């Protein structure tokens, strides 16, 4: 019985130790406009800089610029330039706080998302863009790998550990 408990504990410790967080995700290291910038005129583009190259996933990398009234201001396709992701921006409209939201495909294949902000101090004459159409179904909205293969793998490993423990624990009487 002690052998069975020891093998089960070792199997669980191995599973939990191997399930640590991945440290290879891209990290946002800079943006233009910078976080909290005060601008008198709107930028022609938003440029986000990451610590590693971004994967150029067709239709996956997105940047949105949302104005103080909830309208959208990006104009055109997002492009990946190595460690930078760039989105063209329409001439801005109302003065106030603008939020730059992003979702990119990390170098290790996992999604990375976040927000930055800047303030337009003088109103512009631009008109907003229509809301973005992501073209993605709700089943894909979470991104990344589903959790069920990890659970199934853990169950299989625990079962194998138990079978091994029972076989090795039998006496030869």
């Amino acid at each position: 019985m002690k052998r069975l408990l020891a093998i089960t504990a070792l199997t669980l410790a191995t599973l939990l130790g191997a399930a640590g967080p991945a440290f290879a995700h891209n990290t946002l290291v800079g943006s233009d406009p910078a976080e909290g910038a005060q601008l008198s005129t709107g930028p022609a583009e938003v440029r986000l800089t990451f610590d590693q190259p971004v994967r150029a996933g067709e239709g996956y990398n997105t940047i949105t610029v949302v104005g103080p009234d909830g309208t959208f201001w990006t104009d055109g396709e997002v492009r990946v330039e190595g460690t930078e992701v760039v989105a063209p921006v329409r001439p801005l409209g109302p003065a106030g706080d603008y939020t730059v939201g992003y979702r990119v495909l990390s170098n290790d294949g996992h999604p990375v998302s976040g927000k930055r902000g800047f303030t337009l101090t003088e109103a512009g004459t631009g008109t907003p863009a229509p809301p973005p159409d992501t073209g993605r179904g709700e089943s894909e909205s979470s991104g990344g790998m589903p959790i069920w293969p990890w659970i199934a793998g853990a169950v299989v490993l625990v079962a194998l550990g138990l079978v091994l423990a029972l076989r090795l624990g039998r006496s030869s009487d």
Side-chain angles (χ1 to χ4, degrees):
M1 187 62 157
K2 287 182 182 180
R3 188 179 286 175
L4 174 63
L5 288 174
I7 291 176
T8 302
L10 182 61
T11 302
L12 288 173
T14 301
L15 285 174
L16 293 176
F23 293 108
H25 297 332
N26 288 28
T27 302
L28 183 67
V29 294
S31 64
D32 183 20
E35 172 71 15
Q38 304 281 318
L39 307 174
S40 58
T41 58
E45 65 182 18
V46 170
R47 182 174 296 268
L48 303 176
T49 305
F50 293 87
D51 64 338
Q52 302 175 55
V54 174
R55 284 193 184 180
E58 180 68 30
Y60 189 82
N61 299 312
T62 60
I63 294 178
T64 57
V65 177
V66 180
D69 55 356
T71 53
F72 293 88
W73 296 90
T74 47
D75 187 29
E77 295 295 317
V78 173
R79 65 185 189 277
V80 175
E81 298 174 353
T83 60
E84 296 183 331
V85 181
V86 183
V89 178
R90 291 172 167 246
L92 298 182
D97 294 332
Y98 284 76
T99 302
V100 177
Y102 64 90
R103 184 191 70 221
V104 299
L105 192 56
S106 183
N107 194 34
D108 66 356
H110 289 93
V112 175
S113 59
K115 294 181 181 178
R116 305 288 274 192
F118 66 90
T119 302
L120 184 65
T121 58
E122 297 177 25
T125 59
T127 57
D133 177 23
T134 61
R136 296 169 54 106
E138 288 198 25
S139 64
E140 298 179 29
S141 64
S142 64
M145 184 175 174
I147 194 167
W148 69 264
W150 295 103
I151 294 171
V155 169
V156 168
L157 282 176
V158 169
L160 285 174
L162 287 173
V163 168
L164 260 173
L166 291 173
R167 287 198 168 231
L168 294 175
R170 286 188 183 161
S171 63
S172 54
D173 291 343

